[in-house]
Amino acid sequence: LKLQPLKCIHLLRLTDTVVDSVEDELELSTVRHRPEGLEQLEARTRFSRKELQILYRGFKNECPSGIVNEETFKDIYAQFFPQGESSTYAHFLFNAFDTDHNGSLSFEDFVMGLSILLRGTIQEKLNWAFNLYDINKDGYITKEEMLDIMKAIYDMMGKCTYPILKEDTPRQHVEVFFQKMDKNKDGVVTIDEFIDCCQNDENIMRSMHLFENVL
C-alpha cells in the first residue's frame, strides 16, 4: 500500500498525539500525588489539553513526586530573580496558590492559579491579587500587609531598578496606594474597595493584561 507523504505526516502526528496521551496517563498513575485527569482539569481551567500536557511535564520535571513544598517553590522562584532576594515574596505567592492551606502545592493548585493569572477575567485576577495581599486571610488588607508585600517585591527586584530606590520608597508608595483604596478611612481595605480602586486605575488595568496568552 503506497501512502502519500502528506498522509504519512498526518499519521505520524496522530501517532505522536496518541503516544503523548498514553504517556501522560501513565505519568499520572506513577507519581506520589495523582492529579485529576486532564479532561477534568481542561474543564476547570482555561487551558487546552495540549497546554496542560506541557505544563504537567514541566511540573513533573521540577517535582517528580507531584507535590511542591514551600522550600522547593522558593528555590524554583529564586532562579528567575537571581539579582534579588525573592524568598519572602515567594512565601506570599506560595500561600496564594495554596488555596486549601495544607502547606503543599499539587499540580491542580498550580494550574488553577495559573489559569486565573494568565487567562482569567479582570474580576478573577483582582480577586486573586486581593487574596495575595490579604496575608492572614481575614478578608481585609491592612497597611502593614500591603507594606510587607511591597517590601518583598522591592527586595526581589534587587538592584535591577533604575534609579536605585531609597529604603523608604516602599512605605511611601504604600501610603499613596492605601489612602486611595481605603475609601471610608477605617484603616483596612475591603475587597470591594480594592477592586473599585484597581478598576479605576489605568496603570493597574494595563498590567492586568500583561500576561494574557503567554502560553
Side-chain angles (χ1 to χ4, degrees):
L1 181 64
K2 190 175 180 181
L3 290 174
Q4 295 177 3
L6 285 176
K7 288 185 178 179
C8 285
I9 292 169
H10 178 71
L11 282 171
L12 284 171
R13 286 177 179 168
L14 192 61
T15 303
D16 285 342
T17 302
V18 173
V19 169
D20 284 346
S21 179
V22 171
E23 284 180 352
D24 285 323
E25 295 303 332
L26 284 171
E27 286 167 3
L28 294 184
S29 66
T30 56
V31 295
R32 181 161 60 85
H33 171 82
R34 183 188 175 110
E36 294 178 22
L38 294 177
E39 292 82 5
Q40 290 95 316
L41 284 174
E42 190 177 356
R44 295 180 64 198
T45 67
R46 290 181 172 88
F47 294 128
S48 68
R49 183 183 179 88
K50 193 65 183 175
E51 287 171 333
L52 286 167
Q53 287 174 335
I54 293 167
L55 288 168
Y56 180 69
R57 284 177 180 169
F59 187 88
K60 191 182 71 89
N61 284 340
E62 293 289 346
C63 318
S65 68
I67 291 289
V68 184
N69 61 31
E70 186 172 332
E71 289 310 308
T72 303
F73 185 84
K74 286 179 179 178
D75 290 342
I76 295 169
Y77 206 74
Q79 296 172 25
F80 298 98
F81 297 94
Q83 75 282 357
E85 170 49 58
S86 63
S87 178
T88 305
Y89 186 72
H91 164 73
F92 295 137
L93 201 59
F94 181 88
N95 287 340
F97 272 102
D98 182 20
T99 53
D100 53 6
H101 310 301
N102 64 356
S104 61
L105 294 184
S106 64
F107 181 62
E108 294 95 329
D109 293 328
F110 174 66
V111 292
M112 292 297 288
L114 205 60
S115 176
I116 292 171
L117 291 174
L118 297 183
R119 305 277 171 82
T121 63
I122 293 296
Q123 184 79 20
E124 287 171 335
K125 290 177 181 178
L126 290 175
N127 281 333
W128 198 94
F130 181 88
N131 180 56
L132 172 68
Y133 278 87
D134 178 18
I135 295 172
N136 67 358
K137 312 304 177 197
D138 67 349
Y140 301 95
I141 299 173
T142 65
K143 190 181 291 186
E144 290 72 26
E145 286 175 321
M146 190 176 285
L147 183 60
D148 285 344
I149 297 284
M150 196 69 75
K151 278 182 177 177
I153 292 171
Y154 279 90
D155 288 344
M156 179 177 65
M157 298 309 293
K159 296 177 181 177
C160 71
T161 56
Y162 182 84
I164 293 173
L165 299 165
K166 296 177 182 176
E167 194 173 330
D168 63 343
T169 300
R171 186 174 292 277
Q172 291 173 355
H173 282 186
V174 166
E175 287 293 339
V176 173
F177 275 120
F178 203 84
Q179 289 295 324
K180 197 173 178 182
M181 287 186 175
D182 184 17
K183 295 285 179 63
N184 62 358
K185 310 301 177 192
D186 64 350
V188 294
V189 173
T190 64
I191 191 164
D192 290 335
E193 288 175 323
F194 181 82
I195 290 174
D196 182 61
C197 181
C198 290
Q199 285 180 330
N200 289 298
D201 188 303
E202 193 175 313
N203 290 327
I204 293 175
M205 282 298 95
R206 197 179 300 119
S207 71
M208 289 284 119
H209 296 288
L210 279 180
F211 299 110
E212 287 182 359
N213 300 315
V214 168
L215 290 174

